[in-house]
PDB file of all heavy atoms in Angstrom:
ATOM      1  N   PRO B 250      29.488   1.712  -8.963  1.00 97.00           N
ATOM      2  CA  PRO B 250      30.054   3.067  -8.899  1.00 97.00           C
ATOM      3  C   PRO B 250      30.590   3.500 -10.259  1.00 97.00           C
ATOM      4  O   PRO B 250      31.171   2.696 -10.976  1.00 97.00           O
ATOM      5  CB  PRO B 250      31.184   2.938  -7.867  1.00 97.00           C
ATOM      6  CG  PRO B 250      31.505   1.488  -7.812  1.00 97.00           C
ATOM      7  CD  PRO B 250      30.246   0.750  -8.164  1.00 97.00           C
ATOM      8  N   ASP B 251      30.383   4.765 -10.573  1.00 95.00           N
ATOM      9  CA  ASP B 251      30.808   5.318 -11.857  1.00 95.00           C
ATOM     10  C   ASP B 251      31.444   6.682 -11.571  1.00 95.00           C
ATOM     11  O   ASP B 251      30.859   7.475 -10.842  1.00 95.00           O
ATOM     12  CB  ASP B 251      29.567   5.471 -12.750  1.00 95.00           C
ATOM     13  CG  ASP B 251      29.925   5.896 -14.157  1.00 95.00           C
ATOM     14  OD1 ASP B 251      31.038   5.597 -14.594  1.00 95.00           O
ATOM     15  OD2 ASP B 251      29.068   6.522 -14.820  1.00 95.00           O
ATOM     16  N   GLY B 252      32.593   6.929 -12.117  1.00 94.00           N
ATOM     17  CA  GLY B 252      33.267   8.211 -11.859  1.00 94.00           C
ATOM     18  C   GLY B 252      34.196   8.088 -10.657  1.00 94.00           C
ATOM     19  O   GLY B 252      34.031   7.214  -9.808  1.00 94.00           O
ATOM     20  N   TRP B 253      35.154   9.021 -10.600  1.00 96.00           N
ATOM     21  CA  TRP B 253      36.217   8.869  -9.596  1.00 96.00           C
ATOM     22  C   TRP B 253      35.726   8.885  -8.158  1.00 96.00           C
ATOM     23  O   TRP B 253      36.217   8.161  -7.309  1.00 96.00           O
ATOM     24  CB  TRP B 253      37.301   9.941  -9.798  1.00 96.00           C
ATOM     25  CG  TRP B 253      36.821  11.367  -9.695  1.00 96.00           C
ATOM     26  CD1 TRP B 253      36.456  12.179 -10.703  1.00 96.00           C
ATOM     27  CD2 TRP B 253      36.644  12.124  -8.498  1.00 96.00           C
ATOM     28  NE1 TRP B 253      36.052  13.399 -10.230  1.00 96.00           N
ATOM     29  CE2 TRP B 253      36.167  13.398  -8.864  1.00 96.00           C
ATOM     30  CE3 TRP B 253      36.846  11.875  -7.135  1.00 96.00           C
ATOM     31  CZ2 TRP B 253      35.892  14.399  -7.943  1.00 96.00           C
ATOM     32  CZ3 TRP B 253      36.565  12.873  -6.210  1.00 96.00           C
ATOM     33  CH2 TRP B 253      36.097  14.117  -6.622  1.00 96.00           C
ATOM     34  N   ARG B 254      34.726   9.704  -7.897  1.00 96.00           N
ATOM     35  CA  ARG B 254      34.288   9.858  -6.504  1.00 96.00           C
ATOM     36  C   ARG B 254      33.692   8.538  -5.967  1.00 96.00           C
ATOM     37  O   ARG B 254      34.137   7.997  -4.953  1.00 96.00           O
ATOM     38  CB  ARG B 254      33.268  10.984  -6.403  1.00 96.00           C
ATOM     39  CG  ARG B 254      32.891  11.300  -4.969  1.00 96.00           C
ATOM     40  CD  ARG B 254      31.864  12.407  -4.886  1.00 96.00           C
ATOM     41  NE  ARG B 254      32.446  13.727  -5.131  1.00 96.00           N
ATOM     42  CZ  ARG B 254      32.186  14.482  -6.193  1.00 96.00           C
ATOM     43  NH1 ARG B 254      31.349  14.081  -7.103  1.00 96.00           N
ATOM     44  NH2 ARG B 254      32.751  15.682  -6.321  1.00 96.00           N
ATOM     45  N   ALA B 255      32.694   8.037  -6.689  1.00 97.00           N
ATOM     46  CA  ALA B 255      32.022   6.803  -6.235  1.00 97.00           C
ATOM     47  C   ALA B 255      32.972   5.622  -6.278  1.00 97.00           C
ATOM     48  O   ALA B 255      32.918   4.752  -5.399  1.00 97.00           O
ATOM     49  CB  ALA B 255      30.805   6.539  -7.112  1.00 97.00           C
ATOM     50  N   LEU B 256      33.863   5.589  -7.268  1.00 98.00           N
ATOM     51  CA  LEU B 256      34.791   4.463  -7.355  1.00 98.00           C
ATOM     52  C   LEU B 256      35.706   4.417  -6.127  1.00 98.00           C
ATOM     53  O   LEU B 256      35.937   3.371  -5.545  1.00 98.00           O
ATOM     54  CB  LEU B 256      35.641   4.560  -8.631  1.00 98.00           C
ATOM     55  CG  LEU B 256      34.994   3.984  -9.882  1.00 98.00           C
ATOM     56  CD1 LEU B 256      35.678   4.493 -11.137  1.00 98.00           C
ATOM     57  CD2 LEU B 256      35.026   2.457  -9.857  1.00 98.00           C
ATOM     58  N   PHE B 257      36.202   5.600  -5.749  1.00 98.00           N
ATOM     59  CA  PHE B 257      37.084   5.585  -4.584  1.00 98.00           C
ATOM     60  C   PHE B 257      36.318   5.262  -3.306  1.00 98.00           C
ATOM     61  O   PHE B 257      36.792   4.516  -2.448  1.00 98.00           O
ATOM     62  CB  PHE B 257      37.835   6.924  -4.431  1.00 98.00           C
ATOM     63  CG  PHE B 257      38.978   6.800  -3.463  1.00 98.00           C
ATOM     64  CD1 PHE B 257      40.200   6.339  -3.891  1.00 98.00           C
ATOM     65  CD2 PHE B 257      38.808   7.077  -2.112  1.00 98.00           C
ATOM     66  CE1 PHE B 257      41.258   6.157  -2.997  1.00 98.00           C
ATOM     67  CE2 PHE B 257      39.861   6.899  -1.213  1.00 98.00           C
ATOM     68  CZ  PHE B 257      41.092   6.446  -1.651  1.00 98.00           C
ATOM     69  N   GLN B 258      35.109   5.815  -3.201  1.00 97.00           N
ATOM     70  CA  GLN B 258      34.298   5.526  -2.008  1.00 97.00           C
ATOM     71  C   GLN B 258      34.057   4.024  -1.870  1.00 97.00           C
ATOM     72  O   GLN B 258      34.208   3.453  -0.800  1.00 97.00           O
ATOM     73  CB  GLN B 258      32.951   6.250  -2.101  1.00 97.00           C
ATOM     74  CG  GLN B 258      33.057   7.746  -1.884  1.00 97.00           C
ATOM     75  CD  GLN B 258      31.755   8.459  -2.239  1.00 97.00           C
ATOM     76  OE1 GLN B 258      30.888   7.919  -2.895  1.00 97.00           O
ATOM     77  NE2 GLN B 258      31.643   9.710  -1.808  1.00 97.00           N
ATOM     78  N   GLU B 259      33.688   3.386  -2.979  1.00 98.00           N
ATOM     79  CA  GLU B 259      33.402   1.944  -2.896  1.00 98.00           C
ATOM     80  C   GLU B 259      34.681   1.136  -2.737  1.00 98.00           C
ATOM     81  O   GLU B 259      34.653   0.067  -2.130  1.00 98.00           O
ATOM     82  CB  GLU B 259      32.614   1.486  -4.130  1.00 98.00           C
ATOM     83  CG  GLU B 259      31.159   1.921  -4.114  1.00 98.00           C
ATOM     84  CD  GLU B 259      30.374   1.491  -2.868  1.00 98.00           C
ATOM     85  OE1 GLU B 259      30.719   0.452  -2.262  1.00 98.00           O
ATOM     86  OE2 GLU B 259      29.432   2.196  -2.485  1.00 98.00           O
ATOM     87  N   PHE B 260      35.781   1.672  -3.245  1.00 98.00           N
ATOM     88  CA  PHE B 260      37.066   1.000  -3.031  1.00 98.00           C
ATOM     89  C   PHE B 260      37.360   0.887  -1.541  1.00 98.00           C
ATOM     90  O   PHE B 260      37.828  -0.142  -1.055  1.00 98.00           O
ATOM     91  CB  PHE B 260      38.176   1.776  -3.764  1.00 98.00           C
ATOM     92  CG  PHE B 260      39.555   1.219  -3.541  1.00 98.00           C
ATOM     93  CD1 PHE B 260      39.959   0.067  -4.207  1.00 98.00           C
ATOM     94  CD2 PHE B 260      40.444   1.837  -2.667  1.00 98.00           C
ATOM     95  CE1 PHE B 260      41.239  -0.443  -3.985  1.00 98.00           C
ATOM     96  CE2 PHE B 260      41.706   1.324  -2.461  1.00 98.00           C
ATOM     97  CZ  PHE B 260      42.107   0.182  -3.122  1.00 98.00           C
ATOM     98  N   GLU B 261      37.033   1.961  -0.835  1.00 98.00           N
ATOM     99  CA  GLU B 261      37.240   1.964   0.624  1.00 98.00           C
ATOM    100  C   GLU B 261      36.461   0.836   1.289  1.00 98.00           C
ATOM    101  O   GLU B 261      36.887   0.276   2.283  1.00 98.00           O
ATOM    102  CB  GLU B 261      36.764   3.293   1.214  1.00 98.00           C
ATOM    103  CG  GLU B 261      37.643   4.472   0.870  1.00 98.00           C
ATOM    104  CD  GLU B 261      37.179   5.730   1.601  1.00 98.00           C
ATOM    105  OE1 GLU B 261      37.200   5.748   2.837  1.00 98.00           O
ATOM    106  OE2 GLU B 261      36.785   6.672   0.921  1.00 98.00           O
ATOM    107  N   VAL B 262      35.290   0.537   0.725  1.00 98.00           N
ATOM    108  CA  VAL B 262      34.427  -0.504   1.289  1.00 98.00           C
ATOM    109  C   VAL B 262      34.912  -1.895   0.869  1.00 98.00           C
ATOM    110  O   VAL B 262      35.081  -2.790   1.712  1.00 98.00           O
ATOM    111  CB  VAL B 262      32.961  -0.296   0.829  1.00 98.00           C
ATOM    112  CG1 VAL B 262      32.069  -1.411   1.330  1.00 98.00           C
ATOM    113  CG2 VAL B 262      32.438   1.047   1.294  1.00 98.00           C
TER     114      VAL B 262
END
Side-chain angles (χ1 to χ4, degrees):
Chain B
D251 186 27
W253 60 264
R254 186 181 285 112
L256 275 162
F257 194 85
Q258 287 169 345
E259 286 304 332
F260 176 77
E261 289 185 62
V262 176

